Amino acid sequence: QLSSLIKQIEEDIQSLTNAYNSLKSASNKFSEAGQALTDFNSSNEGKPIFVPLTSSLYVEGRMANVDKVLVDIGTGYYVEKTVPAAQEYTERRAKDITSKAEQLQKSIESKRRNLI
Amino acid sequence: YGVVRLHMSNPQRAALQQQLEGEAQEFQKISREIEKLTLNRQKLIAQLTENDLVKKELSMLEDDASVYKLIGPVLCKQDPQEAQANVNKRIEYITNEVKRVNTLLGDIEKKHVEKRKRIMEMQAKLQQIK
């Protein structure tokens, strides 16, 4: 009976760790997006760019607007924001997710201690 | 004496065993229902949190900001107030759905516990007849 309890806790730890990893990678994606935005500055105006039409077809174009970007906030809603506002958004989301990941890490630790 | 008693309780035992199998099958069915409902509930809660997030973001916008909604392959401009109203409505709907699933789950779990008790009683009776 004890051994099945141990197995249960180990499985819990495994699934919690998986959740922690996916939170971490989501947070990374947001910080990468924020990083990409810093390259989105005024020197890029008018520069030639490649615009994806499909996942394998790109069309040559020119950079028209470097001030505003569309931000996906979930459930199919997009909001137009200025670049600094969008950067602040990505920072905020990344911080939120990292703090949730830290909470998860604490529960993982306490479960591990219970195991011992 | 012993031989006569055994013959008499055999059909009784067979009937009880069949009943037990039936109860066990129903128990399995209830377990599967519980799994389905729990999954459903998790999905709903994820949707609820996502919509809460959108609601927060929308409330932080200035009144003149542009909001777009993705409808299929088309991105359409939406009035921020309308978008907020829509998201609030969705949040209300999902919260009600979660409440409904929770009550269903509670009821079915009660049935589950009762079924398990019945099965254990029958198993005990079967042991006695043996």
Side-chain angles (χ1 to χ4, degrees):
Chain A
Q1 223 182 8
L2 266 186
S3 66
S4 76
L5 190 61
I6 288 182
K7 200 153 169 285
Q8 183 64 37
I9 297 188
E10 279 178 350
E11 281 176 12
D12 283 347
I13 291 185
Q14 187 57 38
S15 67
L16 284 186
T17 318
N18 285 344
Y20 174 77
N21 285 336
S22 41
L23 281 186
K24 263 296 161 98
S25 79
S27 158
N28 281 342
K29 265 203 258 175
F30 274 109
S31 23
E32 275 178 17
Q35 189 66 20
L37 280 179
T38 57
D39 296 332
F40 233 72
N41 48 33
S42 51
S43 76
N44 283 341
E45 184 127 20
K47 269 209 187 141
I49 59 173
F50 277 109
V51 181
L53 282 185
T54 68
S55 55
S56 43
L57 180 61
Y58 289 78
V59 162
E60 192 169 340
R62 210 168 291 274
M63 196 66 146
N65 186 349
V66 279
D67 304 314
K68 297 249 185 91
V69 285
L70 275 182
V71 180
D72 179 359
I73 55 180
T75 68
Y77 279 98
Y78 290 76
V79 174
E80 206 177 54
K81 284 184 186 284
T82 61
V83 171
Q87 275 180 312
E88 185 235 356
Y89 172 81
T90 52
E91 254 178 57
R92 196 166 13 111
R93 291 299 298 272
K95 232 189 325 184
D96 269 344
I97 296 184
T98 332
S99 74
K100 295 228 172 82
E102 294 305 312
Q103 280 178 343
L104 202 58
Q105 181 71 341
K106 273 196 217 139
S107 342
I108 294 180
E109 277 309 304
S110 75
K111 279 215 151 91
R112 229 179 243 141
R113 261 179 272 131
N114 280 347
L115 206 57
I116 299 180
Chain B
Y1 259 157
V3 179
V4 169
R5 242 214 307 228
L6 202 64
H7 277 293
M8 268 178 57
S9 57
N10 246 348
Q12 213 182 7
R13 220 166 106 220
L16 206 60
Q17 215 146 20
Q18 235 182 359
Q19 248 189 329
L20 185 65
E21 276 178 32
E23 294 283 326
Q25 268 179 0
E26 280 182 28
F27 185 73
Q28 298 272 41
K29 227 175 24 162
I30 298 184
S31 307
R32 281 197 293 267
E33 270 297 311
I34 290 188
E35 245 183 84
K36 240 187 347 175
L37 281 180
T38 320
L39 234 81
N40 216 0
R41 185 170 165 273
Q42 279 178 334
K43 218 172 29 149
L44 285 174
I45 294 190
Q47 282 181 337
L48 190 63
T49 7
E50 193 184 358
N51 275 288
D52 264 335
L53 197 60
V54 179
K55 175 180 165 143
K56 209 170 54 149
E57 286 299 325
L58 286 178
S59 65
M60 290 202 286
L61 286 182
E62 306 98 18
D63 287 330
D64 65 340
S66 334
V67 178
Y68 298 84
K69 180 155 172 72
L70 193 66
I71 303 180
V74 180
L75 198 60
C76 314
K77 193 154 166 60
Q78 245 207 355
D79 172 40
Q81 267 73 15
E82 196 183 326
Q84 255 186 322
N86 279 342
V87 175
N88 283 335
K89 250 189 284 185
R90 264 192 66 95
I91 289 182
E92 216 183 296
Y93 172 74
I94 297 183
T95 327
N96 285 340
E97 278 292 304
V98 171
K99 257 190 263 183
R100 193 178 61 93
V101 172
N102 276 341
T103 7
L104 258 170
L105 208 61
D107 287 339
I108 289 199
E109 296 236 333
K110 251 191 288 183
K111 277 209 307 212
H112 206 222
V113 165
E114 276 177 34
K115 233 354 145 187
R116 190 185 275 130
K117 219 171 53 166
R118 287 264 301 274
I119 288 184
M120 289 173 83
E121 284 169 2
M122 287 167 102
Q123 279 176 333
K125 253 204 318 207
L126 217 57
Q127 290 287 57
Q128 282 179 347
I129 295 188
K130 267 198 199 138

